């Protein structure tokens, strides 16, 4: 790593917590029809590890979103980049994301999915940065709470790079 950085959560600790989340989800969704919807791109590594810690049948799909314009509290400016064509009402949906910051993304995604009438709708985020919330929102499953610093690694990017960094780090300036 050429820039000066500090490890916030190391790879081992991440793996242990992700395994715990997978076990908990496997228990909670036993006998249900679990559909994981992973929000790209940031959650691709977290999702890959999480679903391998889930021991019950699970369908896995992906969505990409972008926020345009000035972020408003009502999250009306979230764009779903590709509509998913699925029988949502058959599934217990668990939306998986890397980090919740303002929560505008998750709030918008939940609004979109709840209109599809799934059997149930819950969320799982690896990292929670509660200090910057613009909407009242708490995920159902949370890996770690993190301070208000820019987080990189384990799927999260800085510019076009660092998604492949194994640990959760932040840059020191
Ligand atoms: P939110 O809509 O503000 O909650 O942010 C959602 C998205 O912004 C996350 O899914 C991330 O992709 C990205 N994001 C927010 N905070 C960070 C960060 O500290 N590092 C990298 N990406 C972030
Ligand atoms: Mg994201």
């Amino acid at each position: 790593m050429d820039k000066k950085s500090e490890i916030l959560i190391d790879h081992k600790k991440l793996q242990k917590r992700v395994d715990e989340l997978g076990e908990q989800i496997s228990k909670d969704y036993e006998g249900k029809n679990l559909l994981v919807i992973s929000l790209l791109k940031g959650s691709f590594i977290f999702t890959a590890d999480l679903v391998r810690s889930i021991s019950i049948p699970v369908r896995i799909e992906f969505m990409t979103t972008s926020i345009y314009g000035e972020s408003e509290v009502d999250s009306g400016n979230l764009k779903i980049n590709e509509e998913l064509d699925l029988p949502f009402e058959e599934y217990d949906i668990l939306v998986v994301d890397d980090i919740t910051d303002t929560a505008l993304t998750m709030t918008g995604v939940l609004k979109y999915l709840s209109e599809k009438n799934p059997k149930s709708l819950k969320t799982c985020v690896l990292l929670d940065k509660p200090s910057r919330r613009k909407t009242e929102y708490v995920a159902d499953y949370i890996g770690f709470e993190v301070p208000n610093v820019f987080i990189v690694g384990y799927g999260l990017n800085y510019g076009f790079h660092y998604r492949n960094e194994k640990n959760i780090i932040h840059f020191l300036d």
Side-chain angles (χ1 to χ4, degrees):
M1 193 71 45
D2 41 349
K3 279 164 79 79
K4 247 190 147 197
S5 63
E6 178 186 54
I7 293 180
L8 284 182
I9 309 165
D10 71 26
H11 182 245
K12 265 197 164 162
K13 214 170 151 188
L14 281 168
Q15 198 56 63
K16 184 169 174 282
R17 183 70 187 122
V18 173
D19 284 345
E20 285 170 7
L21 289 171
E23 276 172 36
Q24 187 63 50
I25 290 163
S26 304
K27 276 190 201 138
D28 296 350
Y29 284 85
E30 182 78 62
K32 298 196 171 172
N33 197 14
L34 176 59
L35 165 63
V36 160
I37 298 183
S38 167
L39 303 185
L40 295 175
K41 301 172 186 171
S43 70
F44 82 111
I45 290 181
F46 173 44
T47 302
D49 283 342
L50 181 69
V51 295
R52 284 178 293 172
S53 298
I54 292 178
S55 55
I56 57 168
V58 53
R59 176 170 180 171
I60 304 154
E61 300 288 346
F62 299 89
M63 261 172 72
T64 61
T65 61
S66 35
I67 290 185
Y68 54 89
E70 281 296 297
S71 299
E72 295 296 336
V73 177
D74 67 4
S75 73
N77 46 7
L78 182 89
K79 181 169 182 287
I80 310 287
N81 293 329
E82 203 183 330
E83 299 279 322
L84 288 176
D85 186 17
L86 298 174
F88 291 98
E89 61 288 349
E90 294 175 12
Y91 288 102
D92 292 286
I93 299 180
L94 183 66
V95 184
V96 173
D97 204 6
D98 52 356
I99 184 165
T100 308
D101 186 17
T102 63
L104 290 175
T105 302
M106 202 51 116
T107 310
V109 167
L110 288 176
K111 183 169 177 281
Y112 169 81
L113 289 174
S114 62
E115 285 164 7
K116 310 279 187 191
N117 297 314
K119 279 193 167 141
S120 65
L121 182 56
K122 288 191 171 178
T123 59
C124 174
V125 289
L126 178 66
L127 307 172
D128 188 26
K129 217 194 256 182
S131 52
R132 294 205 342 126
R133 278 301 193 285
K134 290 194 178 174
T135 67
E136 267 181 53
Y137 161 80
V138 186
D140 298 287
Y141 300 90
I142 297 170
F144 301 90
E145 190 173 307
V146 289
N148 186 18
V149 293
F150 194 76
I151 309 279
V152 181
Y154 198 69
L156 288 88
N157 67 316
Y158 173 68
F160 294 115
H161 296 117
Y162 304 107
R163 291 194 197 274
N164 59 327
E165 161 64 38
K166 280 195 175 69
N167 307 296
I168 292 285
I169 64 167
H170 85 100
F171 293 123
L172 305 166
D173 30 39

